[in-house]
Amino acid sequence: MSVGRMSLPIPLRMLPGEDIHEFKAKAMEILAETGVFYETPEALEALEAYGCTVDHQQRVALFPAEAIEKALATAPKAITLYDREGNPHAFLEGNNVYFDPGSSAVHFLNSDGLAVDSSGEDLANIARLTDALENIALQSTAVVAGEVAKEVGDSYRLYTVLKNSTKPIISGAFTVNGIEDIKELLVAVRGSLEELRAKPLAVMDVCPFSPLRWTNVACKNIMDLARYGIPVEFLPMPMAGASTPVTLAGTVICHVAENLSGLTLAQAVTPGAPVVWGGGPMVFDMRYGTTPMCAMEAMLMATTAAQVGKVLGLPTHTHGCLSDSKVVDVQAGLESAMGALLAGMTGVNVISGPGMLDFVGTQSLEKLVIDNEICGMVLRYLKGIETGEDAMAVDVIKGIGPGGDFLNTAHTRRWFRKEVAIPGLPIDRQDRRAWYEAGSMKALVRANRHVQQILSSHKPRPLDRGVERALDNTMKQVARRHGVTYLPLR
């Protein structure tokens, strides 16, 4: 059963339709006249065969409008993700909204506030915690396992999450061979490549190098994913004022061009390859040389770029519910809440970020459970107000009359559970006396207790023993193939 989903009837629109179409037109102008750099010769050959003009010496492809429109016509307009057991879980289409933890952090914030290098054990705990959080529907490979050899880092992160949760996963690869290894793990769970194509279990992020450049790793990953039918999520991360124009509109145009160029390569390799229109634009803070992803300007660019993807009818992604703060504090709360709400109101299908701090560099369990509450509030808001006859309650109001109360009515008993969402432990709604008597706990303390409660009691549904053996053996084979002898199996 799908969890943590809500569909907004009328999503937020940053710009009128004609302006959104102008972003696409300007991006296509750049793709036709300036083009995009692809480091991999095979990618250029695929694009040339698809109708693009290629300068093989400069490794630049120029895109005629016909090639882009052909690619947009064959790209699927919806993707259904299935859980580990093969049940439908998330429907990436329309204005459906799902959250997943921010991914690939290199640091983990301990409960004492000290950030340390992240490990496989941290990743396993994040996966088990997320498995229990009802408002975060999807998993991610949230941190890198620093103790594991880089050659198998991509596959080990996915393996760890597959072992510790049933939810579909947002992941990715940092190596040329990473997708091949990841595909083998996913096939071990599904049983065959055909079944994996029919029931996608994971979406893979692939990032261009802004502006307008796809590295060899990115090219290979896109092509492998398209061949295997594994959904690919394009993740431009332009920096306004550094890697792209400082104007927000100029950066959005680069963002759109990079999405279109990735999408066209995927469709050139395999027409109908599932793709997600994604990205995480940033501003460039000239004072410190940092890249805030939750600045309001970044959210303006993210939601506008997502609106372009929605107008094209594609499944969409962006970052939200994350913070650039270094600890779980007031800044973390306000930035996460604003980003989550704006992305949710835009109707972005996949919103990545819960748990994340410090420019997507640090994950926190306490922040993750607080963000689960933020996501729940956003999902409740998107549910809107029900307006049927019973919900409007005119007869009930007439029956109670002036000065009465509604506490003991059958109408209240019938409606209060579905009208008023009840938050979890991190949110305090007691009166002050009760709060004193309960120990005067602040939000971060309550969040830590909630984390400990879940990790001590929640057990994800176990893997079928045969599937678990296949998964373990596949991970060992991947390690042997790369000459890796140490591999903690969790």
Side-chain angles (χ1 to χ4, degrees):
M1 183 179 74
S2 176
V3 296
R5 171 181 63 151
M6 198 51 61
S7 182
L8 185 66
I10 307 174
L12 175 69
R13 292 286 177 254
M14 301 308 301
L15 293 168
E18 56 268 27
D19 286 348
I20 290 299
H21 287 291
E22 188 71 5
F23 278 108
K24 178 193 172 190
K26 297 293 186 187
M28 290 177 66
E29 178 183 332
I30 290 170
L31 291 172
E33 297 180 9
T34 302
V36 173
F37 176 91
Y38 293 85
E39 192 172 11
T40 307
E42 292 86 348
L44 291 166
E45 291 166 5
L47 289 167
E48 190 170 40
Y50 201 65
C52 297
T53 300
V54 171
D55 181 334
H56 289 277
Q57 186 172 7
Q58 297 298 319
R59 302 190 181 186
V60 169
L62 302 177
F63 295 74
E66 294 77 13
I68 297 171
E69 296 296 350
K70 182 168 62 172
L72 287 170
T74 59
K77 302 304 183 281
I79 298 172
T80 298
L81 298 178
Y82 295 78
D83 67 16
R84 202 176 57 187
E85 285 93 23
N87 304 303
H89 185 91
F91 307 91
L92 310 187
E93 59 183 319
N95 297 315
N96 294 341
V97 171
Y98 302 91
F99 290 93
D100 71 290
S103 63
S104 301
V106 296
H107 294 127
F108 178 80
L109 191 69
N110 285 330
S111 58
D112 62 2
L114 180 65
V116 298
D117 292 342
S118 56
S119 67
E121 182 178 3
D122 297 329
L123 179 56
N125 284 333
I126 293 169
R128 285 199 294 124
L129 185 66
T130 302
D131 190 77
L133 298 178
E134 63 178 341
N135 300 314
I136 300 178
L138 306 174
Q139 285 280 359
S140 78
T141 45
V143 297
V144 302
E147 75 276 32
V148 173
K150 292 182 179 178
E151 291 85 349
V152 297
D154 297 332
S155 50
Y156 184 77
R157 287 184 296 130
L158 181 70
Y159 164 82
T160 301
V161 179
L162 285 169
K163 292 274 288 198
N164 288 280
S165 178
T166 63
K167 294 180 179 179
I169 305 164
I170 309 297
S171 187
F174 296 116
T175 58
V176 168
N177 297 317
I179 296 302
E180 181 66 30
D181 297 339
I182 282 171
K183 180 262 297 181
E184 292 181 16
L185 292 170
L186 294 172
V187 167
V189 173
R190 281 286 181 261
S192 69
L193 182 57
E194 290 70 27
E195 189 68 6
L196 178 62
R197 284 196 176 105
K199 295 183 175 181
L201 174 57
V203 175
M204 294 292 136
D205 288 340
V206 180
C207 302
F209 196 86
S210 297
L212 306 172
R213 178 185 174 99
W214 293 94
T215 64
N216 187 43
V217 170
C219 290
K220 291 280 192 182
N221 286 353
I222 291 173
M223 298 177 76
D224 286 345
L225 290 165
R227 291 190 187 103
Y228 296 138
I230 300 172
V232 52
E233 187 169 83
F234 303 112
L235 195 61
M237 300 180 75
M239 291 180 283
S243 66
T244 51
V246 73
T247 54
L248 308 189
T251 289
V252 171
I253 288 171
C254 283
H255 187 294
V256 171
E258 289 168 356
N259 258 290
L260 288 173
S261 62
L263 182 149
T264 303
L265 174 58
Q267 300 305 310
V269 173
T270 305
V275 299
V276 177
W277 179 281
M282 302 169 273
V283 297
F284 189 73
D285 193 309
M286 302 293 181
R287 299 169 300 170
Y288 309 116
T290 54
T291 54
M293 299 183 69
C294 43
M296 197 48 60
E297 296 83 2
M299 290 309 304
L300 277 167
M301 293 186 287
T303 51
T304 301
Q307 191 180 340
V308 177
K310 294 177 75 63
V311 167
L312 297 175
L314 297 165
T316 53
H317 158 276
T318 196
H319 285 130
C321 205
L322 42 70
S323 172
D324 298 326
S325 179
K326 311 304 174 287
V327 295
V328 185
D329 60 2
V330 172
Q331 179 183 340
L334 71 89
E335 289 179 337
S336 299
M338 284 197 292
L341 184 60
L342 288 170
M345 290 177 65
T346 308
V348 178
N349 300 134
V350 180
I351 303 173
S352 301
M356 194 64 87
L357 294 160
D358 189 15
F359 310 104
V360 297
T362 303
Q363 262 285 355
S364 160
L365 296 176
E366 285 76 16
K367 184 175 187 296
L368 191 56
V369 297
I370 292 172
D371 290 347
N372 178 61
E373 300 301 330
I374 294 173
C375 297
M377 293 177 187
V378 171
L379 294 172
R380 175 61 190 93
Y381 183 84
L382 299 184
K383 186 179 178 183
I385 295 178
E386 189 164 334
T387 56
E389 285 295 321
D390 197 36
M392 289 188 168
V394 173
D395 290 340
V396 181
I397 298 169
K398 290 177 180 176
I400 295 296
D405 75 74
F406 296 83
L407 190 59
N408 293 319
T409 66
H411 185 269
T412 298
R413 292 194 296 274
R414 190 165 63 249
W415 276 91
F416 84 95
R417 290 188 187 280
K418 63 179 180 179
E419 283 289 88
V420 182
I422 304 298
L425 183 59
I427 301 299
D428 170 54
R429 286 184 176 174
Q430 302 175 99
D431 62 29
R432 183 170 291 277
R433 173 178 293 181
W435 180 72
Y436 282 138
E437 291 174 353
S440 310
M441 288 188 292
K442 296 182 179 178
L444 185 56
V445 176
R446 294 193 299 274
N448 179 261
R449 289 200 175 188
H450 197 39
V451 168
Q452 299 310 318
Q453 288 176 358
I454 293 174
L455 291 182
S456 63
S457 62
H458 177 71
K459 296 186 183 306
R461 292 197 303 275
L463 269 166
D464 173 90
R465 289 187 178 182
V467 172
E468 186 169 25
R469 279 196 297 272
L471 186 60
D472 288 344
N473 289 334
T474 302
M475 188 66 245
K476 292 174 184 174
Q477 291 168 8
V478 169
R480 281 197 294 271
R481 185 161 66 233
H482 292 284
V484 175
T485 56
Y486 170 72
L487 196 67
L489 298 181
R490 295 183 172 84

